[in-house]
Amino acid sequence: MDLSYMAEMPIEEFQQRRAKVFAQLPTNSGLIVFSNLERQRTASSNYPFRQDNYFWYLTGFNEPDAILLLKKTEQQGEQAILFLRPSDPLMETWNGRRLGIEKAPATLHLDQAIAIDEVRQQLPQLLNGLGTLYYAEEVQQWGDEIVHQTLSLMRTQQRQGVKAPTTLVCWRELLDEMRLFKSENEIRLMQQAGQISALAHIRAMKQARPQRFEYELASEMLHEFNRFGARWESYPSIIASGENACILHYTENDRLMQDGDLVLIDAGCEFAMYAGDITRTFPVNGKFSPAQREIYQIVLEAEKRAIELLVNGNSIKQANDEVLKIKVAGLVRLGILSGDVDTLIAEKAYTRFYMHSLGHWLGLDVHDVGAYGQDRTRELQPGMVVTVEPGLYIPNAEDIPAAYRGIGVRIEDDLLITEYGNKVLTAAVPKEIDEIEALMAQKD
Ligand code: GLY
Ligand code: MN
Ligand code: MN
């Protein structure tokens, strides 16, 4: 198989990001970011390691127990310093390779590398005399401990001439704003994440049958992710058949799917650290029932209208306002809601059937960082990637017309905002009823 498209993010891009950060730091300041740690799963095994996204964004370094310090001073200019685990042949024989102190500066284009065991001695010296420290609480708990202990030690050494930074500034806004706008390289990787996620949904559609377990579809999807070089899901797959579709973050995935059910699959791969996030809803037996069609068509119309509106200069809120009109009018038409559409919207009567937002930023995190503005009124701009995911979830309740009870439908795609509109990164997986039924007829 040709995997040449898998070329990773060039290491220069991480350096360019650090340069952008440096440009925003005042002289005589530092910025500190911590890696993730290994997390224990059972007594002798860990969860697969996943790097902290902020740390990854600035380093491209995929090991635990590491710290990046960016330092900007009059005397030494800009320095990128990395604390990391030193090489250790015995540990590496047991637990895997390490980059090591010697290779780190050249490999990662950094100025200096220091053994992580030395952080308690070295960090106070490195921070001594800096006016401002940029740091974010509650991203990595071990980082909070190191920063608090280092600063408190430095303050006790004041009489020996040690000067602790006097101003602490949170770096979240600075880094979140950078991460919100994707570079060309990031877009390339996100297109691939969208494409692989779409192929996996197609596979799941072809593999769905009554009397299969939901988790069998999860494994079909993971197989497809892996085949194309995406090792992980970007979040736990939601394979929600029947009434499970009305549980937004259903992840048990252990029900036996029945003839006549819809199955809602919300799943995406993580490719080169970037998330795909797709939802499709389709009939397990390959044919929508009349009631399923009716609900589905409302959500589909809403999704298509939202895609037209989620463009450069508009906001998520603008699109959501239109989506609400389509959905509430549809629910009134089917007798699920009754009353005047505008009044029902003003009274938020729809929240019983649609209780999440229309979309979110997408990137290294599936719910990516970046400010949304009050009620998601922020203007969309080229380079942002946003999901569009309207849904309707009809409870199994006495007051609902019987045919619609327990039907849950969501349709979700990933959009890159471009200068003239948007590009749907996940368009390869069908969503029209006829297309889905035709695809499902070609069972694998
Ligand atoms: N899969 C999580 C979401 O769509 O937001
Ligand atoms: Mn999703
Ligand atoms: Mn989503």
Side-chain angles (χ1 to χ4, degrees), residues 161-355:
V162 174
K163 273 183 66 187
T166 48
T167 310
L168 287 181
V169 176
C170 179
W171 48 240
R172 279 181 198 265
E173 201 179 326
L174 190 160
L175 293 182
D176 290 358
E177 201 58 20
M178 285 174 63
R179 281 177 54 184
L180 180 55
F181 292 90
K182 274 62 180 177
S183 69
E184 278 181 26
N185 282 318
E186 288 182 297
I187 289 167
R188 179 172 57 81
L189 298 177
M190 291 197 71
Q191 277 178 317
Q192 200 61 40
Q195 182 68 14
I196 297 170
S197 303
L199 291 172
H201 276 264
I202 290 172
R203 184 183 180 97
M205 284 181 187
K206 290 191 191 168
Q207 289 288 340
R209 315 257 193 293
Q211 302 305 315
R212 284 196 174 165
F213 282 99
E214 293 166 338
Y215 57 73
E216 292 182 66
L217 295 186
S219 75
E220 293 293 343
M221 299 194 76
L222 188 58
H223 175 83
E224 200 73 358
F225 295 166
N226 285 180
R227 255 164 39 88
F228 293 102
R231 294 286 309 282
W232 318 110
E233 299 168 334
S234 62
Y235 53 90
S237 294
I238 296 167
I239 317 283
S241 64
E243 274 182 51
N244 291 339
C246 296
I247 302 171
L248 298 180
H249 289 160
Y250 171 82
T251 50
E252 285 89 342
N253 298 352
D254 57 1
R255 180 172 172 272
L256 197 59
M257 299 184 292
Q258 303 295 319
D259 201 358
D261 286 346
L262 285 178
V263 59
L264 179 159
I265 300 189
D266 183 345
C269 73
E270 183 172 283
F271 180 76
M273 303 295 274
Y274 288 85
D277 185 8
I278 302 182
T279 308
R280 289 291 185 269
T281 310
F282 56 89
V284 167
N285 65 14
K287 280 273 174 205
F288 284 84
S289 73
Q292 290 167 350
R293 271 175 182 262
E294 286 175 307
I295 303 287
Y296 189 91
Q297 282 297 357
I298 299 170
V299 179
L300 183 62
E301 185 191 341
E303 207 240 6
K304 291 199 284 195
R305 182 74 187 119
I307 291 174
E308 286 172 2
L309 291 168
L310 290 168
V311 294
N312 189 8
N314 281 354
S315 67
I316 298 176
K317 178 168 189 311
Q318 274 171 298
N320 194 46
D321 287 346
E322 286 294 307
V323 158
L324 286 177
K325 283 185 207 157
I326 294 168
K327 285 188 191 173
V328 172
L331 291 172
V332 169
R333 209 167 50 237
L334 300 186
I336 295 172
L337 277 175
S338 57
D340 168 64
V341 171
D342 291 334
T343 313
L344 289 167
I345 291 175
E347 289 170 352
K348 295 193 192 302
Y350 54 82
T351 53
R352 189 175 172 211
F353 310 103
Y354 172 49
M355 58 299 277

Side-chain angles (χ1 to χ4, degrees), residues 144-157:
D144 292 346
E145 282 165 25
I146 289 181
V147 169
H148 294 157
Q149 286 168 12
T150 301
L151 293 178
S152 111
L153 177 76
M154 292 175 77
R155 288 179 196 122
T156 63
Q157 294 173 336

